Amino acid sequence: MNGHTPVTHSYDYDLIVIGGGSGGLAAAKEAAKYEKKVMVLDFVTPTPLGNSWGLGGTCVNVGCIPKKLMHQAALLGQALEDSRKFGWQFTEAVEHNWMTMTESVQNYIGSLNWGYRVALREKKVTYENAYGEFVAPHTVKATNKRGVEKLYTAERFLIATGERPRYLGIPGDKEYCISSDDLFSLPYCPGKTLVVGASYVALECAGFLAGLGLDVTVMVRSILLRGFDQDIANKIGEYMEEHGIKFIREFVPIKVEQIEEGTPGRLKVTAKSTKGNEIIEGEYNTVLLAIGRDACTRNIGLDKVGVRINEKTGKIPVNDEEQTNVPYIYAVGDILQDKLELTPVAIQAGRLLIRRLYGGATSKCDYVNVPTTVFTPLEYGACGYSEETAVEKFGEENIEVYHSHFWPLEWTVPSRDNNKCYAKIICNIQDNERVIGFHVLGPNAGEVTQGFAAAIKCGMTKEQLDSTIGIHPVCAEVFTTLSVTKRSGESTLLSGC
């Protein structure tokens, strides 16, 4: 891949990036540093309800950024409640204004969209708001929103098209339901909401909607947070239920009907048991589908150039250098088969790919021990193996699980949620009790996990963790004093500081 022979063809561009999300933009800007001629094609196909957005991809427009801001809005509501016990006095009832929040969030996102366009222009990257699809080897067709088509050629291509929310394929789903692609710019308060799904998107959205004071129900087909540590996933579910979120388990919707138009209107949802023939009905103002996402790879002409995809999932298999089976075509981000669907992963993979292609570098993206956080009301940070996967890979007798509950000092005065926060590490006994899994359930879980992730990457052992002096009084110090093993069956409930 490095030191390739000079190309005798004359192409329009050195690199064309299809998809202007986190991975695509990072790669395009990196390639511009090597004075390559780069084009980015980005086009957002509107949602069934007609919503679309600007440059920047899912994370910025309809993902991590608006999600975290709305999660923060919910946390502020809780902080207001707590503040009375800390002596703050205010008499008027506290109310939340949905429109003020969405307008503020959308204004911030708009500033990011503009910033991306400016950055591309400054780096002399050509940007076209057009739908890119392969039509022949080394050739793409770009179609803009007016239907004007242009052909471009390039020596290399990077596919970074990401994913979009999946629909149920039942009567009324696309007509009456919304997805995360619609929620963050919804021009009215959603009211009584049914969230369908058990993914982190489902639970995060359910969490902040409930935190804003709405009546929220989550309909779950089977388990919560598939792929995450199930011990923690169940604790998240319990916490959400204790805080007023209702769960309907082992049911799936089979029909959504409109009872009344409006903003919001009224919808009737009919659902069927996954265990039998029981049918239930419920009435809601809004139905939010969060049942998974599909890779945007089936309608970009990959068959015309021979790029293989997983027929079932639409995901693209690549080698350890993000190269597809067609040597001049690469892919990064959520569309990759068996890789993590996380913004920082796409950015890292995109940058490192470009440095290998044009800068003579050799570093490859490390997809192991990647930290992540689920922004449920009680945040969940994780890095490394879940308990189930560790047992499966190393054997139960070869792992030691240390765990403890903890009570954030900030929560003691308002006297809430004692022993709901939880810390757990999984160690490989055969490898000097190296920490192979890190899990924290509590406030600022992402901030805590990010720091420990670096230590885990360096091969941190339990002994090193024990010899680290904690900072008092903070939540993260619990990891420096973990002594109770799961195997022992001893209580992990704490009292005092």
Side-chain angles (χ1 to χ4, degrees):
M1 190 162 67
N2 295 317
H4 61 280
T5 52
V7 179
T8 50
H9 296 81
S10 173
Y11 295 112
D12 298 328
Y13 291 92
D14 294 306
L15 176 71
I16 291 179
V17 178
I18 304 176
S22 306
L25 290 178
K29 289 187 280 193
E30 194 68 26
K33 290 181 187 173
Y34 297 99
E35 299 189 336
K36 296 297 169 186
K37 198 177 177 193
V38 184
M39 169 181 257
V40 173
L41 296 173
D42 186 61
F43 188 86
V44 179
T45 305
T47 70
L49 297 184
N51 289 313
S52 61
W53 45 88
L55 183 62
T58 296
C59 171
V60 164
N61 292 285
V62 290
C64 338
I65 298 295
K67 172 270 302 285
K68 176 90 185 286
L69 291 172
M70 292 192 179
H71 170 64
Q72 171 65 5
L75 293 182
L76 288 171
Q78 180 67 65
L80 278 169
E81 228 171 275
D82 290 355
S83 70
R84 295 180 193 272
K85 281 283 175 74
F86 283 95
W88 288 98
Q89 295 173 357
F90 43 94
T91 47
E92 70 280 5
V94 176
E95 287 179 354
H96 183 264
N97 186 305
W98 176 270
M99 288 311 298
T100 303
M101 175 185 70
T102 49
E103 200 176 302
S104 303
V105 168
Q106 290 304 316
N107 285 344
Y108 175 62
I109 290 169
S111 73
L112 293 178
N113 298 145
W114 174 249
Y116 289 133
R117 294 185 69 158
V118 169
L120 291 182
R121 198 161 58 232
E122 284 173 352
K123 289 178 169 33
K124 297 184 174 56
V125 173
T126 305
Y127 160 63
E128 278 210 20
N129 182 202
Y131 188 91
E133 55 186 309
F134 290 96
V135 289
H138 291 279
T139 310
V140 287
K141 177 175 76 177
T143 310
N144 71 14
K145 60 184 173 197
R146 291 187 298 281
V148 177
E149 297 177 357
K150 291 181 191 168
L151 293 180
Y152 297 104
T153 61
E155 183 191 354
R156 291 191 177 100
F157 291 85
L158 176 62
I159 307 167
T161 47
E163 299 181 304
R164 294 292 292 272
R166 188 177 303 147
Y167 283 78
L168 285 161
I170 61 169
D173 64 344
K174 289 188 175 173
E175 294 86 347
Y176 306 124
C177 300
I178 67 169
S179 74
S180 55
D181 281 358
D182 305 295
L183 178 64
F184 302 112
S185 58
L186 202 66
Y188 55 84
C189 179
K192 183 182 179 184
T193 302
L194 174 69
V195 178
V196 181
S199 63
Y200 72 89
V201 178
L203 299 187
E204 287 176 340
C205 292
F208 72 68
L209 290 173
L212 300 177
L214 302 182
D215 179 334
V216 178
T217 302
V218 181
M219 187 176 283
V220 180
R221 186 186 59 192
S222 54
I223 62 170
L224 300 181
L225 295 176
R226 187 178 301 280
F228 288 91
D229 189 282
Q230 284 302 292
D231 175 26
I232 305 271
N234 292 329
K235 284 177 168 37
I236 290 171
E238 284 164 23
Y239 183 89
M240 289 173 74
E241 279 190 276
E242 284 166 14
H243 285 257
I245 297 171
K246 297 177 278 296
F247 281 80
I248 300 173
R249 293 176 188 269
E250 297 179 338
F251 272 86
V252 289
I254 53 171
K255 185 168 58 173
V256 180
E257 299 163 280
Q258 188 178 62
I259 301 169
E260 190 183 304
E261 277 188 46
T263 51
R266 282 194 304 138
L267 302 169
K268 182 168 95 170
V269 178
T270 307
K272 184 177 187 296
S273 167
T274 58
K275 288 288 166 75
N277 294 318
E278 189 188 349
I279 301 281
I280 59 168
E281 290 178 352
E283 218 178 273
Y284 305 91
N285 298 119
T286 298
V287 177
L288 170 66
L289 302 181
I291 55 167
R293 299 171 65 80
D294 291 323
C296 301
T297 55
R298 297 188 193 274
N299 299 308
I300 56 171
L302 294 183
D303 52 326
K304 303 262 188 6
V305 283
V307 173
R308 275 201 297 272
I309 65 169
N310 179 316
E311 277 310 322
K312 188 178 174 208
T313 63
K315 298 265 190 170
I316 301 177
V318 292
N319 64 14
D320 65 354
E321 299 196 329
E322 286 77 41
Q323 189 176 35
T324 70
N325 64 299
V326 177
Y328 65 90
I329 298 176
Y330 301 82
V332 295
D334 293 359
I335 55 172
L336 298 190
Q337 183 172 293
D338 303 325
K339 297 285 191 285
L340 294 158
E341 298 175 11
L342 296 166
T343 282
V345 171
I347 291 170
Q348 178 91 317
R351 282 186 185 145
L352 293 178
L353 166 64
I354 296 303
R355 287 171 196 168
R356 292 194 305 273
L357 288 176
Y358 302 125
T362 54
S363 291
K364 297 171 187 176
C365 185
D366 183 359
Y367 292 94
V368 177
N369 286 332
V370 174
T372 189
T373 295
V374 180
F375 291 95
T376 33
L378 197 54
E379 296 174 15
Y380 167 34
C383 183
Y385 289 93
S386 68
E387 196 175 331
E388 296 82 13
T389 324
V391 167
E392 208 176 289
K393 187 171 171 70
F394 301 101
E396 196 164 357
E397 69 286 358
N398 293 320
I399 67 160
E400 196 72 85
V401 176
Y402 294 89
H403 63 154
S404 176
H405 283 84
F406 62 94
W407 196 15
L409 182 65
E410 297 83 347
W411 295 6
T412 58
V413 168
S415 193
R416 66 174 172 91
D417 298 321
N418 188 5
N419 283 309
K420 298 298 175 197
C421 297
Y422 181 68
K424 168 163 88 170
I425 60 167
I426 301 154
C427 300
N428 182 355
I429 295 170
Q430 302 292 314
D431 186 16
N432 197 24
E433 279 210 312
R434 194 170 306 287
V435 178
I436 56 170
F438 174 96
H439 303 272
V440 61
L441 197 53
N444 306 302
E447 310 294 347
V448 171
T449 307
Q450 184 70 77
F452 282 104
I456 290 168
K457 209 147 187 71
C458 295
M460 174 177 71
T461 62
K462 175 68 166 72
E463 189 184 1
Q464 289 169 328
L465 201 48
D466 291 345
S467 69
T468 303
I469 294 171
I471 299 168
H472 192 65
V474 299
C475 295
E477 70 177 311
V478 67
F479 284 98
T480 65
T481 57
L482 291 173
S483 58
V484 177
T485 65
K486 245 191 180 179
R487 215 187 294 274
S488 73
E490 289 173 36
S491 170
T492 60
L493 301 181
L494 287 188
S495 58
C497 69

